[in-house]
Amino acid sequence: MQDKTDLDGLYAGLEAAALQPLWTITEELLTPTPRPAAVPWLWSAATMKPLAREAIRLVPVERGGERRVLALANPGLGGRPYAVGTLWGALQCLGPHEVAPAHRHTPGAIRFVLEGEGVWTTVDGDACDMRPGDLVLTPSKQWHDHTNAGDSEMFWFDGLDLPIIQALDGVFFEHWPGPGESQPQPVEHNVSEARRRDGSRYTDGSVTKAVSPLPSELLIYRWSETEAELERLGRESDDDLLAVEYTNPKTGASVLPTMACAVHRIRGHGAPVRRAGNAVYVVFRGRGESVIDGQRFVWGPGDMFAVPSWSTVEHISVGADLFVVSDEPVLRALGIQRREVLPEPQTVTGDFHSASLRLQGAAS
Ligand code: GTQ
Ligand code: FE2
């Protein structure tokens, strides 16, 4: 009895002293395998696009708000605006003749263009023209603004390492000091592309050869070249899943120190795979489905979905191209990368319907 009272006293004393006894929390902290808070989730283009168009109509792009961006907020993350625990994913849009002001920040960004024309992102003075299927990099600390000089609406996917930089308490952000809200409009465009003709821009397989703290100097990867690489790979292989990873032509490493980007071409039933680290997929072309931890996600162009760490995923399509961004370089840098191909396809135990589809279903 005395012991029980003493023990209660110990725990009360620990709490009051801002101390926690590890023996009561070991199992939730040191899990046998990763236990991400984020859940597998899909954001459909059918849901996002009308909302993005409403945002174009109602909300101007201004200094302060900075960007017209709809952040993928994974329902497992308790309201935090992240697609998965370590990655920001978002749909960004610009209306005709809009300009998003210049700023810079320590988080790095990648953009994968979905729709529209006549837009460029100026990265430290280099205007990078954006066309559907292109990957454009905005490395950490470089000034960037977005200009829509055309008459069409523009939509692209943003991936940022913001949650990683935030976890390191390393977020710094700065507005362009002027004059004006944007960098001067460059006469020449796509300088990084013109400058670099040497070095491979792609690697097959889903992992890069090296880890590098340097971002790629090449800021644009054109869809035509990505597709040529997929075609080449497709002739050499009869795999159901072809993977082309974008690389830094100078080092062979991932395009940014924290994020790896790849395109997966699905032309059959891909093997079930699980890996340590998080990923966000963006459907560029084609339709198909992915089974994530037994749940079936049916997708088409413009849909985006979250694959949290260590969840098993397999893709099925008769022809589709998926863009994928992951935090793999960080795990590699730390020597904790891990990937497993499972021998058997998963048993499908359920179908995913996004929240809004569920609401529509309830209304009809
Ligand atoms: O385009 O600069 O999705 O700063 C989030 C933060 C996009 C951008 C995002 C940003 C940007
Ligand atoms: Fe930014």
Side-chain angles (χ1 to χ4, degrees):
M1 195 60 225
Q2 186 54 46
D3 276 4
K4 166 88 169 76
T5 312
D6 289 350
L7 202 55
D8 287 348
L10 170 63
Y11 286 129
L14 288 170
E15 195 177 337
L19 294 167
Q20 284 191 31
L22 173 61
W23 60 88
T24 65
I25 50 177
T26 306
E27 287 181 355
E28 69 186 73
L29 291 177
L30 293 161
T31 55
T33 54
R35 216 170 280 168
V39 293
W41 197 263
L42 180 141
W43 295 262
S44 73
T47 306
M48 291 188 286
K49 282 278 288 289
L51 293 167
R53 290 220 163 86
E54 251 327 69
I56 291 175
R57 194 170 74 83
L58 297 173
V59 186
V61 181
E62 287 170 333
R63 178 58 87 207
E66 301 295 295
R67 300 290 185 260
R68 194 187 292 103
V69 161
L70 308 179
L72 308 179
N74 191 296
L77 294 178
R80 293 197 301 151
Y82 302 140
V84 284
T86 52
L87 297 170
W88 168 279
L91 178 65
Q92 179 157 176
C93 49
L94 271 184
H97 306 286
E98 285 185 323
V99 178
H103 65 213
R104 65 177 176 180
H105 38 69
T106 46
I110 60 94
R111 335 226 171 244
F112 184 79
V113 184
L114 293 169
E115 206 183 308
E117 56 183 10
V119 172
W120 58 83
T121 288
T122 306
V123 182
D124 264 2
D126 188 6
C128 304
D129 290 325
M130 301 166 83
R131 290 185 286 265
D134 292 350
L135 172 68
V136 178
L137 308 181
T138 309
S140 172
K141 293 171 282 187
Q142 301 196 5
W143 295 109
H144 54 284
D145 48 65
H146 313 301
T147 303
N148 187 349
D151 297 323
S152 65
E153 291 173 333
M154 184 84 174
F155 299 91
W156 69 84
F157 168 80
D158 286 323
L160 278 84
D161 57 11
L162 175 58
I164 300 174
I165 305 304
Q166 183 156 70
L168 298 168
D169 286 328
V171 175
F172 290 84
F173 175 92
E174 229 180 313
H175 291 145
W176 172 254
E181 290 201 338
S182 301
Q183 300 166 77
Q185 284 299 344
V187 180
E188 244 186 292
H189 282 213
N190 311 313
V191 173
S192 78
E193 194 182 20
R195 203 180 281 157
R196 291 214 63 80
R197 280 277 152 232
D198 54 325
S200 172
R201 300 165 188 213
Y202 302 95
T203 177
D204 52 4
S206 56
V207 289
T208 40
K209 311 259 181 312
V211 171
S212 168
L214 299 173
S216 172
E217 286 171 26
L218 177 67
L219 299 173
I220 319 168
Y221 296 72
R222 297 290 174 211
W223 177 251
S224 58
E225 294 184 41
T226 309
E227 185 167 46
E229 189 62 16
L230 284 162
E231 297 289 334
R232 193 187 62 74
L233 215 63
R235 285 190 296 272
E236 287 177 3
S237 152
D238 43 42
D239 288 356
D240 286 346
L241 189 153
L242 306 172
V244 163
E245 179 171 348
Y246 303 84
T247 59
N248 178 336
K250 227 178 194 169
T251 62
S254 54
V255 288
L256 294 184
T258 49
M259 290 188 288
C261 296
V263 173
H264 292 180
R265 174 163 285 182
I266 323 294
R267 46 181 199 176
H269 196 139
V273 173
R274 62 182 175 189
R275 56 170 288 274
N278 297 303
V280 182
Y281 285 77
V282 180
V283 184
F284 181 50
R285 295 207 298 214
R287 302 192 161 273
E289 56 188 60
S290 298
V291 182
I292 311 173
D293 280 349
Q295 246 194 315
R296 189 199 340 253
F297 293 76
V298 176
W299 41 252
D303 293 353
M304 304 174 184
F305 58 96
V307 178
S309 185
W310 212 240
S311 48
T312 303
V313 59
E314 65 198 84
H315 307 296
I316 304 131
S317 174
V318 292
D321 292 326
L322 304 178
F323 173 82
V324 55
V325 59
S326 80
D327 54 13
E328 185 171 30
V330 179
L331 288 100
R332 267 172 127 11
L334 302 177
I336 57 165
Q337 74 276 25
R338 185 163 164 181
R339 182 175 180 274
E340 271 177 24
V341 179
L342 292 128
E344 297 291 335
Q346 299 168 77
T347 307
V348 178
T349 54
D351 276 293
F352 175 88
H353 298 287
S354 77
S356 60
L357 288 176
R358 275 198 287 260
L359 288 177
Q360 282 167 19
S364 62

